[in-house]
Amino acid sequence: MKKKLLFQNCVILFFLLLASCKGSMSDEGDNVVTYLTVSSEGGNEKLLGKTFTFKVKDNLNNDITAESEIFVNDHPINGNLYTPAEKGVYTVRAAYKNLPVNPISVNAVINDGVNFKHRILYEDFTGTWCGNCTRAGARAKNLKLQTDDGFVFIGIHGPSGQDPWSNTVSTEVEQFKNVTGVDLGWPTMFINRNTMWDDTENYTDMSLPLSQLKAFSKIGIKIGSAVSGNTLNIDARISFAQSFSGLKMAAFIVEDELVGKQKNYVPALGAPIIYDYVHHNVLRNKLTSSVAGENIPGSQTEISNEYSRTFQYSIPSDYNRDHLKIIVMVMDGNGTVLNVREEKIGITNTYEFL
């Protein structure tokens, strides 16, 4: 009886370890098509007069746009391009072999006054030990294909002691977003900090992040930096095309293209252990005093004003300077990211006016 009980406990422990990073095995590698997704490349909101390009994919990530019929406000369109004649919200759906598909909404807006390029923030709480976390990485690749430089990615590695790139700042962000709590684990993904992108077996549907991407922003960000020895001097500036209140700013240092082994439970994405997995924009440190951000004085967020903030950072000797980046984000009073930008160190960019 004791041997039987011991065997049962070992079996239970084995399956618990398999599921330890939240989520189930992916079926993206199966050969059964069960549903469709429709998306708008470059985001679901564009300036009036710009053309929406729609893509239709099945759950196996096959592009079936050419074989599908696309409807805008229940009217079929010719091909997959549509240019709205009037501002407003349009409903888009697709039809192919009677497979189910969730419609999306796209919005044509008017350009009024000064506008800046808008980006969304994609935060991925990940770990090299987490076999389901490769789904989150695959999402980043798919999102990159469907946006015109429309998002900034941060890979937050953890937990402490289990991931080689975990650090005190990544732990601080995990605690801030309660990723170490009972309800959240690894992988956990957020868009613009406050919208959770549920971890499901489908890593090809980009409708959630694309719905957050706007045609423009009234907040512009520019980043400049220079390296002197091991010291990085940073000048971050934020410009406002309308008046705001209650804003915060957060800034971070990340290192791109860190290569290491990665556990993988998704057969379609590679072997059980991927030894040359590329980890992008790994969080290394914070520049602001808190990962939640610092308050921007209300007197500085009036229309036509520019807020400036300088930082100084000592670059550790084991960091690859060619891959280091600065990320600056602006949030509202609820912590939702309104705009975000990244730049490599040693480069000074300009505002991205539209």
Side-chain angles (χ1 to χ4, degrees):
M1 179 63 73
K2 288 184 178 179
K3 289 183 178 180
K4 181 178 180 181
L5 183 60
L6 179 61
F7 173 76
Q8 290 174 338
N9 288 338
C10 289
V11 171
I12 292 171
L13 179 60
F14 172 75
F15 283 105
L16 284 174
L17 287 172
L18 277 182
S20 63
C21 57
K22 197 184 68 172
S24 57
M25 298 282 281
S26 174
D27 63 359
E28 291 276 354
D30 293 345
N31 57 5
V32 178
V33 175
T34 56
Y35 61 88
L36 307 176
T37 62
V38 59
S39 61
S40 170
E41 288 194 335
N44 290 20
E45 184 177 275
K46 293 181 183 293
L47 293 172
L48 184 64
K50 298 292 185 179
T51 299
F52 288 93
T53 302
F54 302 120
K55 289 288 187 180
V56 183
K57 292 186 177 183
D58 61 29
N59 56 292
L60 307 182
N61 204 28
N62 297 310
D63 189 335
I64 54 172
T65 306
E67 293 81 28
S68 303
E69 189 171 17
I70 299 174
F71 298 82
V72 175
N73 287 350
D74 287 328
H75 296 291
I77 64 173
N78 184 21
N80 67 324
L81 304 178
Y82 183 74
T83 305
E86 298 179 351
K87 70 174 183 177
V89 178
Y90 297 78
T91 301
V92 183
R93 63 180 178 87
Y96 176 76
K97 292 185 177 180
N98 295 319
L99 289 169
V101 58
N102 290 324
I104 63 170
S105 294
V106 298
N107 191 18
V109 298
I110 293 178
N111 188 343
D112 55 341
V114 175
N115 298 301
F116 304 96
K117 182 177 178 63
H118 177 252
R119 292 182 179 85
I120 56 176
L121 175 69
Y122 174 17
E123 288 176 299
D124 173 25
F125 291 85
T126 186
T128 58
W129 54 274
C130 169
N132 287 328
C133 288
T134 52
R135 286 201 295 253
R139 280 179 165 181
K141 291 180 181 178
N142 284 316
L143 186 57
K144 185 175 182 179
L145 293 174
Q146 295 191 42
T147 63
D148 178 20
D149 186 30
F151 76 104
V152 170
F153 178 83
I154 300 181
I156 303 155
H157 282 248
S160 177
Q162 285 189 251
D163 189 283
W165 296 309
S166 174
N167 53 63
T168 56
V169 177
S170 62
T171 299
E172 184 180 346
V173 181
E174 289 160 7
Q175 293 172 345
F176 171 62
K177 298 304 296 182
N178 197 32
V179 172
T180 57
V182 175
D183 296 330
L184 300 180
W186 288 262
T188 291
M189 291 148 275
F190 288 99
I191 301 298
N192 289 338
R193 284 218 153 168
N194 282 346
T195 299
M196 185 178 293
W197 194 0
D198 287 339
D199 174 39
T200 68
E201 294 174 344
N202 175 16
Y203 52 79
T204 61
D205 182 4
M206 300 292 107
S207 56
L208 175 67
L210 290 176
S211 70
Q212 304 289 311
L213 185 58
K214 305 300 181 184
F216 58 82
S217 175
K218 289 296 184 179
I219 298 174
I221 302 172
K222 72 175 182 179
I223 305 168
S225 65
V227 180
S228 177
N230 292 326
T231 301
L232 175 64
N233 293 295
I234 302 161
D235 179 29
R237 295 178 180 263
I238 303 167
S239 184
F240 303 95
Q242 71 178 49
S243 295
F244 292 87
S245 62
L247 297 187
K248 293 183 177 183
M249 168 193 182
F252 300 93
I253 293 289
V254 299
E255 185 173 353
D256 198 21
E257 297 183 28
L258 284 168
V259 179
K261 68 179 181 179
Q262 171 71 47
K263 280 192 177 180
N264 174 46
Y265 297 158
V266 188
L269 297 178
I273 297 180
I274 305 173
Y275 289 94
D276 56 352
Y277 192 86
V278 180
H279 301 263
H280 292 288
N281 282 13
V282 176
L283 179 61
R284 286 301 204 177
N285 216 321
K286 63 184 178 183
L287 295 170
T288 44
S289 58
S290 169
V291 298
E294 298 175 351
N295 293 328
I296 302 176
S299 60
Q300 298 292 307
T301 61
E302 298 293 325
I303 187 170
S304 299
N305 277 2
E306 182 184 60
Y307 174 70
S308 64
R309 180 77 163 84
T310 59
F311 305 95
Q312 194 172 79
Y313 178 69
S314 296
I315 304 173
S317 59
D318 58 337
Y319 288 8
N320 187 335
R321 296 188 182 191
D322 292 336
H323 293 167
L324 289 182
K325 297 179 183 179
I326 303 156
I327 292 178
V328 174
M329 64 187 74
V330 179
M331 299 158 288
D332 65 16
N334 296 318
T336 299
V337 174
L338 301 178
N339 207 358
V340 59
R341 193 173 184 184
E342 67 177 9
E343 188 56 86
K344 291 183 177 180
I345 68 169
I347 294 177
T348 297
N349 57 35
T350 58
Y351 286 119
E352 299 172 293
F353 293 102
L354 296 179

